[in-house]
Amino acid sequence: MQTTLIVNPYASRVTPEAVAAVEAALEPVATLTTQRAGHATELAREVATEAVAVFSGDGGYNEVLNGLPSGIAVGLVPGGGTSVLPRALGLPRDPVAAASRIAAGRRRRIGLGRVNGRRFGFSAGVGLDAELVRRMDERGRDASGRRPGDLAFVATALRALAERRAHFEPVLELVGLGRAAFALVGNCDPYSYAGRMPLRITPDARFELGLDVTAPREVRARSLPRFGFYLVSGRGHDRARDLLRGHDLDRLELRCDEPLPLQIDGEDLGDVSEALFEAERNALDVLV
């Protein structure tokens, strides 16, 4: 299988040695290297091979999903600090092992999500989690171009909670469901990872179904242990009166009291007053 390999050289785990090893596992392969934000989308639009592999983090995967022509299968090689999408698909965390699985050519058909027209692979959020993504971006990158890791994210989250005394009032409306403090939309389970720990925010979400949403009605300090239990265990969501939930949705409309941050697949898309989430079922062949 002739494969095009798109590489983000600034992803946390991408090195020249790792790229060479991934290329060897994927042979025959033609390698393209991104040079700036959005470049992976441009490169994906020009792919003419049967398959494309992406050695990057979640931001690079998202760019490729938004540029890939129909009918081309995609393989996701873990190159970021978290690399949620390939892990959620069951691929090994080791890049060479993942590339070897991709080269075997086994395909799985999955759905994707869209928000305001832009595709996402595993999750999107309005409010708190998007604010955390923005704060992490503001921390910048180190001298090698790498982003801060999971410990920095935890510290950022704790700081955001402390600034508001862990109190989040309802600030948005999920049309047909009710008012909430923030909204978390998942295309799969887990929603994300903290190190090796899966975060089970939308535990019933599956790549083969529509979208799921979990949205706390309100957050107070005394409710944090309960929300933490939901997050780590993936249990209790269905009985929780303090959560708004939707499962296997084709469409979800959200309206904010004032502009709020929006993130998809860990990428900041700026502030929005409204967001339209749509399920794109059976959208893509992934190599697993």
Side-chain angles (χ1 to χ4, degrees), residues 143-174:
S144 65
R146 270 60 174 179
R147 288 180 170 180
D150 288 334
L151 289 177
F153 185 86
V154 171
T156 299
L158 292 174
R159 188 175 301 114
L161 291 172
E163 288 173 3
R164 299 185 187 180
R165 299 182 180 180
H167 186 191
F168 295 83
E169 296 278 358
V171 293
L172 55 83
E173 176 82 14
L174 296 174

Side-chain angles (χ1 to χ4, degrees), residues 40-58:
T41 298
E42 298 172 18
L43 294 176
R45 290 193 181 112
E46 300 170 359
V47 168
T49 52
E50 179 184 355
V52 59
V54 191
F55 190 15
S56 177
D58 289 307

Side-chain angles (χ1 to χ4, degrees), residues 68-190:
L68 197 66
S70 62
I72 296 179
V74 63
L76 307 167
V77 182
T82 309
S83 296
V84 175
L85 194 50
R87 292 168 71 182
L89 287 164
L91 286 165
R93 295 193 70 182
D94 177 74
V96 177
S100 296
R101 284 265 295 271
I102 289 166
R106 179 176 175 269
R107 298 187 180 211
R108 176 181 176 185
R109 192 75 174 175
I110 67 168
L112 299 171
R114 287 183 181 270
V115 56
N116 295 348
R118 176 149 176 175
R119 278 177 159 180
F120 61 92
F122 61 92
S123 72
V126 176
L128 178 59
D129 76 326
E131 178 183 334
L132 298 181
V133 166
R134 181 171 298 175
R135 290 188 181 211
M136 287 293 290
D137 287 346
E138 290 171 352
R139 295 177 72 112
R141 298 173 181 260
D142 62 20
S144 65
R146 270 60 174 179
R147 288 180 170 180
D150 288 334
L151 289 177
F153 185 86
V154 171
T156 299
L158 292 174
R159 188 175 301 114
L161 291 172
E163 288 173 3
R164 299 185 187 180
R165 299 182 180 180
H167 186 191
F168 295 83
E169 296 278 358
V171 293
L172 55 83
E173 176 82 14
L174 296 174
V175 176
L177 293 176
R179 288 182 58 76
F182 50 89
L184 308 162
V185 179
N187 189 45
C188 64
D189 176 51

